[in-house]
Structure formats: structure tokens, C-alpha cells
Amino acid sequence: MASPHPPPPPRGQWPGLFIAFEGGDGSGKSVQARALYRRLRRLGLDVGLVAEPGGTPLGRCVRALVTGQDGLALVPRSPQVTSAAGEQLASERIQLPLAPAAELFLFAASRAQLVADVIKPRLERGGIILADRYAPSTLAYQGYGRGLPKALVRRVNELATAGIWPDLIVLLDVPVAVSRRRQQRRGKSSDRFEREALKFHRRVQRGYLAMAAHDPERWAILPGDRPRKEIGGAIWKLVSRLLLKHRPQLAASLRPDEGGPPAPGQRGRRSHAQGHNLKLDL
Ligand code: TYD
């Protein structure tokens, strides 16, 4: 029988650095991705932040489609539209349920364009990419969440990513009940999140944890319900360590207090060989 988890993809051969943020809806990953982006920018590093679906004109169209109230939201040519069932739809938007496979291909289309236009070129020229969601979202939501065959979702991911896989994936893990409360506070309760059963989100969360357990060198699990600054500090430790270990040419611009190499005469303060699970460091 085929292993449920194929071997993790190899570390990237490009000169840049690729970091992805993952987690359920309302896990705080977007806040942390933006904070890290600002920090790296302040250091003068060449860094780009992308959010999926999105980041290209095609990606923005996909976002508009998949975040429609009830699946696929289309804007009809005329306000008087007839649905497949024959009744008149008074609304300006027709809302059609989106088949899981169609949803998979929409996310994959957005990602393929983003990889080709934005991610690959920046990594090849030695820049840093921060991605607010990437291919693991598709395995978590469409594979574990919707129940599409995981092997197929992996194949689609392989095609869409052109084999480009993050050097580090930060998983912000929060209990589903906490995510839901956060979404409701932000007034996002009527969107995608609220439409799905709690069971769906628990499957997504389990999926993320299974992926992380299978590739612990690449994934870091952080408790997303800790204070924002504390999580930001833990992420910075991971990122500066990664820069030093794998991209010393980029780390050269970090000061020692930013996690950069010690000044001449100063003894090295950190072990670079530690694993990525910072749960214990918090
Ligand atoms: P996003 O806007 O990042 O939502 P949030 O900020 O709440 O995390 O993502 C939009 C939704 O799209 C989110 O519910 C997760 C979902 N999604 C998938 O189902 N599959 C995917 O491949 C991606 C990238 C997102």
C-alpha cells in the first residue's frame, strides 16, 4: 500500500528564502506574516509578501469567486436571472455551490500563476518570499477538509507549485473554538468560515498537524493563542536561525542583536542545529 505521506520535497536550490504561514481561519497568520515582512524590510532585505488566493490579477479573480457567500458567486449580465432550477433570482449575484474539485482547481490556478509571476522570479534573484497560505492550505482544506483524495491533491499541488516548496512553514495552531470567536469579533462570521461546520475545521486542523508531524524539519508549530508579540518573537528566532544556517549571504545584513553573526571577538551565542519546534521556547 502507498504511504499516506510521500517523502518531503527537497530544500530549495534557489538563492532566496521562502517562508509560508499556515493555519485555520482566524489563526493570526496574516498578522504575523505582515509583522515579519515589516521587520525584514526595515533590515533592508529584498522581501515580498503574497497572500493566497491572490497576488496576481488571476489570483484576485479567484479570491472574488471563492469567497462568494455560498460558494461560487457570479455577477449576472442582467438582474433578472433564472437559476438552474428555473426560479427567478432577484439578487444581483447568483450564488452557486462550488464542486470540491472545481474549488481545488481554482486555488491551484491562482497558485500556479503566483509561482510563475512572483514567487519563482524573486527566489531566483535571491529575495525572500513570505506567503500567507500556500500549497499546504489546499491539502488541509480541499484534502483533509472536503475529503478529496489526498494523493490527487498532492499531484495538483506539485503541478501548481512547479516543485517550489517553502524552506520554513510556520503553522499557527489554534483551537477551532478560538478561531471562531476571533472571526465573529472581526465581523467575518457570515463569510466562508461560518458556512462550514466545526467538524470541517477540525479536519483541517488535524490535517495541518499531520503534515507538520511528517516533515518536522520544515514545519514549526506555534500556539496561535499566545500573545501576538510572543509569537512574533518565536517566529523571528526561527527566521534568523534559518537565514544564518541556509542563507548566510542574506544574514550578513543582520546585526548580532537581530540574530546576526557575532561581531569579531564575540563568542557565538546560539546553536544553529536546533529543531524547529519552538513550542518549548515560548
Ligand atoms: P484567507 O483569506 O487567507 O482567509 P483567512 O484570512 O480567514 O485565513 O483564505 C480564504 C479562504 O480560502 C480560507 O477559508 C481558506 C481557503 N483556502 C482553501 O480552501 N484552499 C486553499 O488552497 C487556499 C489558499 C485557501
Side-chain angles (χ1 to χ4, degrees), residues 23-26 29-30 52-53 63 66-67 103 107 111 132-135 137-138 141-142 183 186 188 192:
D25 301 51
K29 64 187 170 34
S30 306
E52 284 206 27
R63 173 170 286 273
V66 294
T67 53
E103 188 185 55
F107 284 118
R111 181 164 311 125
D132 180 353
R133 294 196 181 282
Y134 192 60
S137 283
T138 310
Y141 282 81
Q142 279 65 54
Q183 294 287 103
R186 282 185 218 150
K188 283 181 88 179
R192 214 179 157 73

Side-chain angles (χ1 to χ4, degrees), residues 18-75:
F18 185 8
I19 300 164
F21 289 79
E22 291 285 355
D25 301 51
S27 57
K29 64 187 170 34
S30 306
V31 169
Q32 292 298 341
R34 284 197 294 267
L36 179 61
Y37 172 75
R38 287 193 296 270
R39 192 162 187 173
L40 292 169
R41 279 283 297 262
R42 277 200 303 274
L43 292 173
L45 294 171
D46 172 15
V47 54
L49 174 65
V50 293
E52 284 206 27
T56 65
L58 175 70
R60 284 187 282 279
C61 293
V62 170
R63 173 170 286 273
L65 290 173
V66 294
T67 53
Q69 221 28 42
D70 270 299
L72 182 60
L74 297 174
V75 180

Side-chain angles (χ1 to χ4, degrees), residues 180-191:
R180 174 154 287 204
R181 273 203 303 279
R182 285 182 179 174
Q183 294 287 103
Q184 284 167 340
R185 269 207 307 273
R186 282 185 218 150
K188 283 181 88 179
S189 56
S190 62
D191 81 355

